[in-house]
């Protein structure tokens, strides 16, 4: 169905080659495809966006620090030289495990091996109707929509003649204090206190009230307690109010209810819950409570040994019993591992040992110049951690188009407080 | 209504100052405000976008060469240090000339002087229903919508199994061969023939058929004939088909009718007609056939001497009888001129002589490395004209935020064939 056209010359050779379909061009899927570069196979990468997204910096687009094209690259551009790979722009609806085909809206694509790397979405814990009033952050369109909301809140406050409404518009609330929530809160605080500080004439953006609300007893719960308290202090320095043990029980277009108390807020952002994409349903597989597929030690599905799940789609306990976290380096490692498994099977050779996760560390930033790094008993906080965070991210770019230009651009935005990307675009 | 809040300290002083309202932050409006920097006045700049747009390069965003934030800057950032100016994000509905107020959706703003610089929109010559099927290019949202259409056309052709439909999807038609039409055609040809050339596996983007359709007898009608024929040859080198004396009489989602002949086309873009924004209607002023206000020699309205029209809103014949063209340098000059007139009136001094336009030349580019410059009898074509065009545009950036970074970015996109900004965003 695919490839027959331009490759007429060697259609027969092509059709004899095994077909590997990868769904999702995030870190897991893209690195799986790139690791299969030398395989004598036809690799088809399907995604419903035409770009690979550098998700760790998505919060920067949402807070107007970077432009979308600074952190997203066309998948075709990344794979243009990998001749055994083709890209299909489309959305997978179902998988037919009897005929070994993935089903798109207007097409069916057969496979010998299938890698599902469809990532995660935000979860509202059964309150999906909150998504309009408390948007989450997973795609470029999410990020530009949040950017529009944040900037419009200040614009509306500037022209608002009602004191109470103006105060409401200047309140920003982030639900969930994992790394994304902490990063968003820090970046919004800097947007208000530095970038926008002198741009308005009636309001003073520095009086904006930014709140970070966490249901648990401390922020960054995946980190050590000393890291949590450091991050807490760093946020307070940025004038972010942190509320712990605070449960959001209601959400509408005027605000929220927290621990039974009504609070009028202009902008609510959701960074609380993550749920795997519905890949588990496609295959009626066993999933954990977040909807992630529980996979075998080689990351394949139970009873469907030619189908694999990687990245945020999979719940993986590695060969030493370590629960693999849902972060980019883990996705990358899983993508590469699956490529090795498939290569071994195609070659009829010995399969690699069960997947083993190498933990590089946990990272989180709190505004510019503050970050935390944790790796086992090693913990680093402050500006040095921030620079290591930055360099690690640039290192991570290797293999993507123009890492130097992107690094230069980031550095520029860092030095100029990202004055450039503050555009209100799209409908409002 | 505006300004009372943060400036409590000197509210009384402020309220005694004359109030100058400028509507529209394009070249004319922005340069008027900047030229009034030292005026003892309260200047209020109103725009329905939060950014100033560098319109001469908008076609680059539409064809994925540059990102929106490369050519648009927040108005507040540009004016942050100009303390006598404030920015209102909103849309003017009407002008009340009896009370001297502009009327916004939720507000009224009084003025002593009013400068209308609301620019132009595309005109479909009475066929406004064509705008969905043949979008024009005036704003950032227009540009990202066109970018999405162009990129989706190739994506759909790649997965299309019907030969005839695939051919239709690969046909691109631009209506109108003024500078914008010529630039769009050249840039789409380069997108197809270079940038995307090797990114697809079934289709060959180099076989895309790009047509430029002009109702008149030659392209670039405002230029000398020898320039038109040079541009024609340059477009043919890029494999753009130019059709002259070709009238579009119908337009729908499958294609167009040209000179009575039906043509199936995947993407139609409109670069044919320009009409002034409805500022003329607000004031019941005399307008020319494009809706531009016919102004007095000092750019004021007849009988409304405290109201001015500048840029594409105004039909200006200067003191030597020259019809001022609708281009950025002309808008800039008019904006600055009106600032001088208002300054003179406020000071009770002698008013400057009637507006006199200094023509720097006509420019148009045809893809990379080909351009034409015309100034009186002087004409330059080819790569040297292209570089002069580029340098002139960078020079034009002076006064806007970070001209160096932007120049660097342009150069980079030029060298790398703008691989970076090819994102399909928004709804489709």
């Amino acid at each position: 169905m695919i490839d027959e056209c331009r490759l007429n010359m060697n259609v027969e050779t092509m059709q004899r080659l095994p077909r590997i379909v990868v769904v999702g061009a995030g870190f897991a899927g893209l690195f799986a495809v790139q690791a299969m570069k030398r395989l004598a196979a036809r690799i088809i990468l399907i995604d419903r966006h035409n770009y690979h997204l550098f998700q760790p910096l998505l919060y920067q687009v949402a807070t107007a620090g970077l432009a979308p094209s600074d952190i997203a690259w066309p998948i075709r551009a990344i794979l243009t030289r990998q001749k055994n790979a083709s890209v299909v722009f489309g959305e997978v609806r179902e998988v037919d495990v009897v005929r070994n085909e993935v089903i798109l809206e207007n097409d069916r694509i057969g496979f010998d091996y299938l890698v599902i790397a469809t990532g995660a979405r935000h979860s509202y814990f059964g309150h999906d109707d909150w998504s309009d009033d408390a948007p989450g952050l997973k795609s470029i369109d999410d990020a530009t929509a949040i950017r529009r909301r944040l900037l419009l809140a200040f614009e509306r406050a500037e022209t608002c003649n009602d004191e109470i409404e103006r105060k409401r518009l200047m309140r920003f609330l982030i639900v969930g204090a994992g790394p994304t929530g902490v990063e968003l809160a820090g970046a919004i605080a800097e947007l208000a206190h530095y970038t926008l500080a002198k741009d308005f004439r009636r309001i003073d953006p520095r009086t904006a009230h930014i709140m970070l609300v966490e249901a648990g007893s401390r922020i960054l719960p995946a980190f050590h307690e000393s890291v949590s308290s450091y991050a807490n202090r760093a946020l307070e320095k940025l004038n972010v109010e942190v509320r712990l043990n605070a449960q959001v029980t209601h959400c509408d277009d005027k605000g929220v209810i927290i621990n039974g108390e009504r609070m009028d807020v202009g902008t609510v952002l959701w960074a609380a819950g993550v749920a795997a994409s519905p890949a588990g349903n496609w295959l009626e597989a066993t999933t954990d409570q977040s909807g992630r597929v529980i996979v075998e030690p080689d990351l394949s599905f139970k009873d469907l040994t030619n189908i694999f799940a990687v990245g945020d789609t999979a719940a993986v306990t590695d060969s030493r019993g370590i629960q693999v976290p849902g972060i980019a380096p883990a996705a990358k490692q899983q993508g590469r591992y699956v490529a090795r498994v498939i290569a071994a099977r195609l070659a009829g050779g010995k399969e690699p040992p069960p997947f083993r996760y190498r933990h590089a560390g946990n990272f989180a930033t709190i505004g510019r110049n503050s970050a935390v790094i944790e790796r086992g008993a090693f913990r680093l906080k402050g500006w040095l951690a921030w620079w290591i965070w930055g360099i690690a991210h640039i290192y991570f770019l290797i293999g993507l188009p123009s890492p130097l230009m992107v690094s230069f651009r980031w550095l520029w935005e860092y030095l100029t407080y990202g004055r450039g990307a503050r555009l209100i675009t799209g409908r409002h």
Side-chain angles (χ1 to χ4, degrees), chain A residues 398-411:
Chain A
I398 292 170
L400 295 171
S402 55
L404 267 183
M405 181 65 197
V406 176
S407 315
F408 185 80
R409 188 94 167 140
W410 290 351
L411 186 67

Side-chain angles (χ1 to χ4, degrees), chain A residues 111-129:
Chain A
F111 60 83
D112 297 299
Y113 294 94
L114 174 64
V115 180
I116 298 177
T118 44
R121 295 207 45 77
H122 13 84
S123 158
Y124 292 89
F125 309 120
H127 295 281
D128 285 350
D129 52 311

Side-chain angles (χ1 to χ4, degrees), chain A residues 262-282:
Chain A
R262 170 90 205 170
M263 191 184 288
D264 294 333
V265 180
T267 310
V268 181
L269 304 179
W270 193 261
V274 162
S277 57
N281 301 340
W282 296 345

Side-chain angles (χ1 to χ4, degrees), chain A residues 109-188:
Chain A
I109 300 175
F111 60 83
D112 297 299
Y113 294 94
L114 174 64
V115 180
I116 298 177
T118 44
R121 295 207 45 77
H122 13 84
S123 158
Y124 292 89
F125 309 120
H127 295 281
D128 285 350
D129 52 311
W130 295 355
S131 64
D132 281 347
D133 299 319
L137 182 61
K138 278 287 170 196
S139 71
I140 285 285
D141 286 317
D142 289 345
T144 51
I146 289 177
R147 180 177 77 180
R148 181 167 65 238
R149 276 185 200 225
L150 293 174
L151 297 173
L152 275 177
F154 289 102
E155 293 292 346
R156 286 187 177 139
E158 174 82 351
T159 54
C160 176
N161 293 314
D162 176 49
E163 179 80 10
I164 291 169
E165 174 66 1
R166 186 159 58 224
K167 284 212 168 128
R168 187 184 77 85
L169 287 167
M170 297 280 278
R171 270 185 223 117
F172 300 86
L173 189 140
I174 299 106
V175 185
T180 302
V182 168
E183 281 163 354
L184 270 175
I188 294 170

Side-chain angles (χ1 to χ4, degrees), chain A residues 351-387:
Chain A
E351 285 197 29
F355 177 69
R356 187 171 168 158
Y357 172 60
R358 290 174 308 282
H359 188 54
N362 283 327
F363 285 80
T365 51
I366 310 111
R368 59 189 59 212
N369 280 332
S370 291
V372 289
I373 301 179
E374 187 177 78
R375 184 181 175 163
F378 172 79
R379 279 183 291 276
L380 187 66
K381 305 152 199 161
W383 65 268
L384 185 60
W386 193 91
W387 281 98

Side-chain angles (χ1 to χ4, degrees), chain A residues 35 39 73 97 159 172 180 225 289 295-296 311 373 376:
Chain A
L39 234 51
W73 301 267
V97 291
T159 54
F172 300 86
T180 302
E225 278 187 32
Q289 56 186 10
V295 290
E296 300 295 294
I373 301 179

